[in-house]
Amino acid sequence: MTIPAQFDAKTIENKWYDYWMKNNYFHSEPDHRTPYSIVIPPPNVTGVLHMGHMLNNTIQDVLIRRARLKGFNACWVPGTDHASIATEAKVVAKLKAEGINKNDLAREEFLKHAWEWTDKYGGVILDQLKQLGCSCDWERTKFTMDPDMSASVIRSFVDLYNKGLIYRGYRMVNWDPEAKTTLSDEEVIYEEQQGKLYFLKYKIEGSEDFLTVATTRPETIFGDTAICINPNDERFAHLKGKKAIVPICGRVIPIIEDEYVDVEFGTGCLKVTPAHDMNDKTLGEKHNLEIIDIFNEDATLNSFGLHYQGKDRFVARAEITQELENSGALAKTETHLNKVGTSERTKAVIEPRLSDQWFLKMEDLVKPAIQSVLVDGDVKLHPARFNNTYAHWLNNIRDWNISRQLWWGQQIPAYFYGDGKEDFVVAENIDEALKLAQAKTSNPSLLTSDLRQDVDALDTWFSSWLWPMSVFGGIMDPESEDFKYYYPTNDLVTGPDILFFWVARMIIAGYEYTGKKPFTNVYLTGLVRDKQRRKMSKSLGNSPEPLELIEKFGADGVRVGLLLSASAGNDIMFDEELCNQGKAFSNKIWNAFKLIKGWEVSDAIPQPESSKVAIEWYEAKLQQTLLEIEDNFEKYRISDALMGIYKLVWDDFCSWFLEMIKPAYQQPIDSVTFAKAIEMLENNMKLLHPFMPFLTEEIWQILAERTTEEALIVSTWPEMKPFNAQLIADFESTIEVISGIRTIRKDKNIPFKDTIELKVVNHDKVSTYFDSVVAKLGNITSLEYVSDKVDGALSFRVKSNEYFIPITGNIDVEAEIAKLTAELVYTQGFLKSVQNKLANEKFVAGAPEKVLANERQKEADALSKIVTIEQSLVSLK
């Protein structure tokens, strides 16, 4: 067949992905082989591909394709996450644009809209991953809201509740007023913000005196139910037993005493607002204070806010401050640096709020996960420095708030049969709930219509923490063949930002339900940043469109570009030039392949010694690289593994091996060497396939007629064999010799077609094994070892060995002597200037060490160059 001049990535990508899909190479079923399984970190169902996904999934595809080549039964389970907060927000916004308010809809009506949205936009990202070349088992694609996945979540909730690990509590929670739901502590990001400290005056009841409190939130005065002083603070002894009047609302509140108040902090008087501050709530419970919640769910003020009812908290803050100032109740304001909690999802400022929520007790659950990672090392984090982050989170873990005030997600399986807070049962479905409720109430006449299910949904992470088990049916059927075969999985590739949210929780769930780890290795990627080290975002306009990159550079080029700069755990400074480098590598390989296929082959000619030597060297070099690659994969240094293959192919194969075996112009190559060249190219393709699947499959299929069983994707990884390391070391010296010859040819304008002689004084007793290669690549007619220097010859040195090229009629000796003499004079002058500088005590005393080291290196280089020039002049005279 005619091989195209250029590698057409787009055509080839479509052709081979369709071929792989048609032949079901990605699909896995349990069999006699050792399994290798990975579960994808499920992206948001309505998300689109971004650079982080590109990096993460390229690494996963490299691991799964390599496992396939190594003979494992490789299974990569794809899927998407229902992303309750993000997806519900999008659906609410869509409905709002259509003039529909979520609160006007019944739950079932809203969920119908949510499913329509998911069906319309969901799964786009999985199709985009196919363009990247991801070899997922698409038949196993899962969605966290699939019926079997939701059933697993509900069963987990019921199980943990029955074990006494899930409880319902009236607690101070993190409230996101934009998403209108609670958040776990881990979903709150604390940011330092410049704000104000307001000093407010509260009148003492029955007198003209007042006390002063300092607050960052003057709008919360409507929820004040006490003023607290330290009983040991003599400044306020006269206030004991008295009452204060809250400004604006005029509420009379007690002045209580508690050593909790720090006499050194603020004014020494503390306003207590139990409904809107965790510490105040604790004080309120201790002193039996009234709890007044002044906010609606969207953080506007409710009726307790009086004439500010319906106004946003920040708008109200400004207006209340003005009213306080006008009434003389604002003593002063000061600028104040404050840590403010914000929602990881919506960026809204979090509001502490008292609410009935569901919690999972973590104190005992977390212990096996701490032991596994930090003590036994059964689960390994790569890089290991993330063990410290992991330890910090898990050693300071708090109970997990698992309920969310949302409709999109698994509805909490708690069924209420009365108005009391404890009037509920927990069951997998309403029929089981009815039986439990009838037994609990001793009322057999109770009907399902008498039950109402908790309206809240479970935290999305409460479904995804089961992911490695639930995708194989392990929660619903722990004895299933798939679960017993594929679980525990092998590797997990994800970002360090969800090390606690997802990774740690999966480890916790794995040990709770199976007593086993969910995976052995966790590869933590870095963030993809631009070359200015900024995080990529649409608002900054610095995030390239991944599919446009694939269109421009080809999927293989983009994969290589990303991985060359992606060491585990370190942020990637992404530059499109890296993808261009990947594309250039594709072209280099394609051109090498075309060169080999373009040679005429003859059975009639013997194999040259230089080709025999070249093959032995490259086989050793390939084995050395294979050893390094295996070591890098074991240490999860994926980019180092790729760089090793890159250098092997670009430098050793293309730049040296092919030059060493290439036949003379318009001459055939011997069949023995050609067969070995094809074998070496095939081995290169096997090593490259996990990184560059499309290009390598294309070359593989053109090299020979292949059956579907012989496709590269299901071929075999090169076998590791012993190799001659000395051979590799000797060739490094040979490279220097060839480079020396080429330099003289270039400097003296000696065309390569003109043969030369080479005489060697072999002081180092180096191996003569590569002499045939030196002779071929230097176009040398005679290579002779001599005991003395050769007069009338050009020379160069490699270590202690001296190499002489006798002068022929091609070189004007007089002109060469004149040129070398002029170069000698210049270098001697340069040396003198450097030595004068180093002899200057003032310069040496004042110059930085780096500058002095540079000057000393200049001196050494000049001295060495003078010796070389003088030797060349002696040879020519």
Side-chain angles (χ1 to χ4, degrees):
M1 65 174 288
T2 303
I3 299 171
Q6 299 294 324
F7 173 61
D8 180 4
K10 190 171 184 180
T11 304
I12 285 169
E13 286 164 10
N14 291 334
K15 176 174 78 173
W16 291 116
Y17 205 89
D18 290 346
Y19 175 81
W20 294 327
M21 290 287 285
K22 178 185 171 187
N23 288 287
N24 221 20
Y25 293 123
F26 304 161
H27 184 57
S28 171
E29 290 290 343
D31 62 21
H32 64 281
R33 292 173 294 169
T34 303
Y36 175 88
S37 53
I38 292 180
V39 292
I40 200 171
N44 289 1
V45 65
T46 58
V48 292
L49 202 62
H50 59 59
M51 296 305 293
H53 293 132
M54 293 272 279
L55 172 65
N56 184 295
N57 287 283
T58 295
I59 292 169
Q60 289 176 81
D61 197 45
V62 167
L63 294 173
I64 208 80
R65 285 180 182 273
R66 176 172 171 269
R68 218 176 266 125
L69 287 170
K70 288 178 81 73
F72 291 98
N73 188 353
C75 179
W76 181 12
V77 180
T80 50
D81 187 273
H82 63 278
S84 53
I85 294 177
T87 303
E88 181 151 327
K90 287 178 181 176
V91 176
V92 168
K94 171 189 171 284
L95 292 172
K96 190 175 180 181
E98 296 170 1
I100 303 171
N101 188 319
K102 173 194 168 185
N103 297 325
D104 295 335
L105 297 175
R107 187 190 197 103
E108 289 69 26
E109 290 177 296
F110 176 80
L111 289 177
K112 187 179 174 213
H113 286 285
W115 277 108
E116 285 174 0
W117 174 272
T118 301
D119 292 340
K120 183 175 180 180
Y121 297 103
V124 170
I125 194 167
L126 298 183
D127 288 332
Q128 292 174 327
L129 289 177
K130 293 175 183 177
Q131 295 184 53
L132 186 61
C134 293
S135 56
C136 304
D137 188 344
W138 300 111
E139 292 180 37
R140 291 183 176 275
T141 302
K142 288 291 184 181
F143 174 44
T144 50
M145 288 278 282
D146 284 343
D148 60 325
M149 300 293 281
S150 286
S152 297
V153 175
I154 298 306
R155 178 161 294 182
S156 171
F157 184 98
V158 173
D159 172 69
L160 293 168
Y161 176 81
N162 289 337
K163 289 174 179 174
L165 293 171
I166 287 178
Y167 63 93
R168 193 164 187 257
Y170 188 62
R171 300 282 189 276
M172 183 73 73
V173 295
N174 305 301
W175 183 260
D176 181 338
E178 187 170 318
K180 298 184 181 65
T181 183
T182 59
L183 299 177
S184 66
D185 294 330
E186 295 74 32
E187 291 169 300
V188 179
I189 308 298
Y190 287 92
E191 302 170 347
E192 281 201 337
Q193 293 183 6
Q194 191 75 45
K196 289 182 178 179
L197 196 58
Y198 302 85
F199 291 80
L200 311 183
K201 299 196 291 190
Y202 288 59
K203 284 190 72 173
I204 309 302
E205 187 185 36
S207 79
E208 292 302 311
D209 293 337
F210 61 86
L211 59 84
T212 304
V213 300
T215 180
T216 57
R217 307 187 63 200
E219 67 277 14
T220 61
I221 60 173
F222 297 114
D224 289 354
T225 55
I227 298 290
C228 189
I229 58 173
N230 190 307
N232 304 314
D233 193 337
E234 294 179 1
R235 293 175 297 171
F236 303 116
H238 65 289
L239 296 179
K240 292 181 179 181
K242 296 190 177 181
K243 294 183 178 180
I245 302 170
V246 180
I248 301 179
C249 70
R251 183 185 307 119
V252 177
I253 57 176
I255 297 174
I256 62 173
E257 302 168 46
D258 199 291
E259 291 186 348
Y260 166 77
V261 178
D262 185 350
V263 297
E264 302 293 330
F265 184 76
T267 66
C269 294
L270 179 74
K271 66 189 279 298
V272 185
T273 319
H276 300 293
D277 182 271
M278 182 68 76
N279 296 319
D280 289 10
K281 176 180 176 287
T282 304
L283 269 177
E285 288 173 346
K286 184 176 179 182
H287 295 273
N288 200 25
L289 298 177
E290 184 182 4
I291 295 172
I292 302 174
D293 185 349
I294 69 166
F295 290 121
N296 296 313
E297 63 176 10
D298 61 355
T300 56
L301 273 69
N302 60 23
S303 59
F304 285 106
L306 304 178
H307 45 287
Y308 295 103
Q309 183 177 357
K311 292 193 174 181
D312 179 77
R313 55 188 163 161
F314 298 118
V315 173
R317 180 180 300 175
E319 294 181 6
I320 289 167
T321 303
Q322 189 62 55
E323 183 175 348
L324 289 167
E325 186 174 11
N326 293 343
S327 67
L330 180 64
K332 62 176 179 175
T333 60
E334 294 178 355
T335 56
H336 179 68
L337 196 62
N338 196 23
K339 275 199 169 182
V340 178
T342 59
S343 166
E344 184 197 36
R345 293 283 183 187
T346 67
K347 312 305 177 192
V349 173
I350 293 302
E351 195 62 56
R353 193 182 195 202
L354 282 167
S355 176
D356 283 312
Q357 301 291 337
W358 294 90
F359 295 87
L360 175 60
K361 295 177 183 176
M362 299 302 291
E363 185 180 356
D364 291 328
L365 277 177
V366 78
K367 288 175 183 176
I370 293 173
Q371 181 78 18
S372 174
V373 176
L374 303 175
V375 180
D376 299 337
D378 290 340
V379 176
K380 295 178 176 63
L381 306 184
H382 303 275
R385 60 185 166 85
F386 282 108
N387 281 5
N388 293 332
T389 309
Y390 184 90
H392 172 75
W393 279 110
L394 270 62
N395 288 326
N396 294 282
I397 203 163
R398 294 164 68 180
D399 287 357
W400 178 9
N401 173 5
I402 57 173
S403 48
R404 296 292 179 269
Q405 285 59 59
L406 300 165
W407 285 349
W408 178 243
Q410 286 87 15
Q411 190 172 355
I412 290 173
Y415 297 84
F416 290 83
Y417 53 81
D419 296 328
K421 286 194 173 185
E422 299 302 317
D423 293 349
F424 67 85
V425 292
V426 170
E428 290 188 35
N429 55 60
I430 197 165
D431 293 326
E432 288 182 26
L434 181 61
K435 293 175 187 174
L436 292 172
Q438 287 172 338
K440 193 173 179 181
T441 60
S442 302
N443 180 6
S445 62
L446 209 63
L447 303 173
T448 54
S449 57
D450 297 320
L451 303 182
R452 53 184 175 81
Q453 190 174 353
D454 193 312
V455 296
D456 290 347
L458 285 159
D459 180 8
T460 303
W461 296 112
F462 192 80
S463 62
S464 53
W465 81 321
L466 304 173
W467 185 250
M469 295 179 285
S470 58
V471 296
F472 296 119
I475 298 295
M476 300 307 290
D477 183 9
E479 295 302 312
S480 73
E481 185 184 13
D482 273 7
F483 185 59
K484 291 170 76 173
Y485 181 76
Y486 292 113
Y487 186 91
T489 65
N490 296 74
D491 297 322
L492 178 76
V493 182
T494 189
D497 53 325
I498 54 174
L499 177 58
F500 177 78
F501 290 125
W502 192 45
V503 180
R505 285 170 175 164
M506 283 190 288
I507 297 171
I508 292 167
Y511 282 106
E512 172 63 18
Y513 283 105
T514 70
K516 297 177 185 176
K517 59 189 176 184
F519 30 70
T520 301
N521 295 287
V522 181
Y523 179 106
L524 296 158
T525 66
L527 287 172
V528 183
R529 298 182 180 274
D530 65 15
K531 46 189 179 180
Q532 296 175 46
R533 305 190 73 86
R534 298 177 303 175
K535 188 175 179 180
M536 287 191 167
S537 69
K538 288 183 180 177
S539 60
L540 285 174
N542 64 346
S543 182
E545 173 54 53
L547 297 185
E548 289 177 8
L549 289 177
I550 292 173
E551 183 76 25
K552 187 175 178 181
F553 300 108
D556 290 331
V558 174
R559 289 165 68 117
V560 168
L562 274 169
L563 288 177
L564 282 177
S565 59
S567 55
N570 294 323
D571 288 353
I572 292 102
M573 304 304 120
F574 180 77
D575 184 349
E576 272 197 27
E577 185 52 39
L578 293 167
C579 295
N580 202 29
Q581 185 180 345
K583 183 179 180 180
F585 187 42
S586 297
N587 291 332
K588 182 80 171 178
I589 297 164
W590 186 255
N591 289 335
F593 158 64
K594 278 199 309 168
L595 175 70
I596 295 170
K597 288 295 285 182
W599 289 335
E600 181 188 342
V601 185
S602 171
D603 292 322
I605 57 175
Q607 183 183 37
E609 179 65 19
S610 57
S611 295
K612 177 176 170 291
V613 168
I615 290 164
E616 288 182 16
W617 165 76
Y618 190 74
E619 285 179 328
K621 190 67 183 176
L622 186 139
Q623 284 298 324
Q624 182 192 53
T625 304
L626 185 56
L627 187 66
E628 292 168 359
I629 291 167
E630 294 293 335
D631 182 59
N632 282 322
F633 268 109
E634 280 181 22
K635 294 170 180 171
Y636 289 81
R637 297 201 299 239
I638 312 297
S639 63
D640 290 346
L642 173 58
M643 184 52 77
I645 302 168
Y646 184 97
K647 288 178 178 176
L648 175 77
V649 173
W650 190 294
D651 297 337
D652 301 315
F653 186 77
C654 296
S655 298
W656 287 109
F657 178 70
L658 293 184
E659 288 297 311
M660 290 152 75
I661 66 167
K662 186 169 67 175
Y665 181 62
Q666 291 190 336
Q667 296 299 309
I669 187 172
D670 69 279
S671 57
V672 175
T673 300
F674 182 77
K676 274 293 183 182
I678 295 295
E679 182 187 325
M680 297 301 105
L681 180 59
E682 287 182 337
N683 279 330
N684 290 345
M685 294 306 98
K686 289 176 180 179
L687 293 179
L688 274 169
H689 179 74
F691 301 93
M692 307 176 78
F694 296 109
L695 169 74
T696 53
E697 187 74 74
E698 173 75 359
I699 291 174
W700 178 266
Q701 297 282 354
I702 297 174
L703 283 173
E705 287 286 327
R706 316 273 188 185
T707 65
T708 53
E709 291 79 18
E710 295 169 330
L712 179 56
I713 189 174
V714 287
S715 183
T716 53
W717 190 251
E719 183 185 349
M720 289 181 69
K721 301 172 185 174
F723 63 92
N724 186 344
Q726 187 59 50
L727 198 64
I728 297 168
D730 289 345
F731 187 67
E732 292 306 308
S733 297
T734 303
I735 288 173
E736 291 186 61
V737 174
I738 294 166
S739 297
I741 295 167
R742 287 172 172 173
T743 299
I744 284 180
R745 279 188 176 278
K746 181 184 175 186
D747 290 349
K748 311 312 174 194
N749 294 317
I750 305 173
F752 182 76
K753 63 182 177 60
D754 293 352
T755 60
I756 57 174
E757 295 178 6
L758 182 67
K759 299 184 186 297
V760 186
V761 180
N762 193 2
H763 296 299
D764 289 335
K765 302 291 187 261
V766 297
S767 169
T768 60
Y769 188 76
F770 288 100
D771 283 0
S772 59
V773 171
V774 173
K776 177 176 180 176
L777 296 185
N779 196 10
I780 292 165
T781 53
S782 168
L783 196 163
E784 182 184 354
Y785 287 85
V786 296
S787 55
D788 296 314
K789 294 178 182 179
V790 178
D791 293 333
L794 301 167
S795 66
F796 63 92
R797 298 174 75 93
V798 174
K799 298 184 175 64
S800 299
N801 279 8
E802 296 176 274
Y803 295 82
F804 299 92
I805 299 173
I807 294 169
T808 65
N810 292 330
I811 296 175
D812 184 335
V813 176
E814 294 301 322
E816 186 63 27
I817 289 172
K819 180 183 173 184
L820 287 172
T821 302
E823 192 174 352
L824 179 62
V825 170
Y826 171 80
T827 307
Q828 287 170 333
F830 175 76
L831 174 63
K832 188 176 181 182
S833 70
V834 172
Q835 289 177 331
N836 286 342
K837 196 181 285 187
L838 289 171
N840 185 329
E841 292 180 7
K842 192 174 180 182
F843 169 76
V844 173
E849 185 54 42
K850 192 174 180 181
V851 172
L852 286 175
N854 190 38
E855 292 300 318
R856 291 186 183 114
Q857 186 60 51
K858 286 179 186 177
E859 180 185 32
D861 291 345
L863 286 166
S864 176
K865 189 172 182 181
I866 286 168
V867 170
T868 303
I869 296 170
E870 287 175 341
Q871 287 177 346
S872 295
L873 284 168
V874 169
S875 299
L876 289 169
K877 290 176 182 176

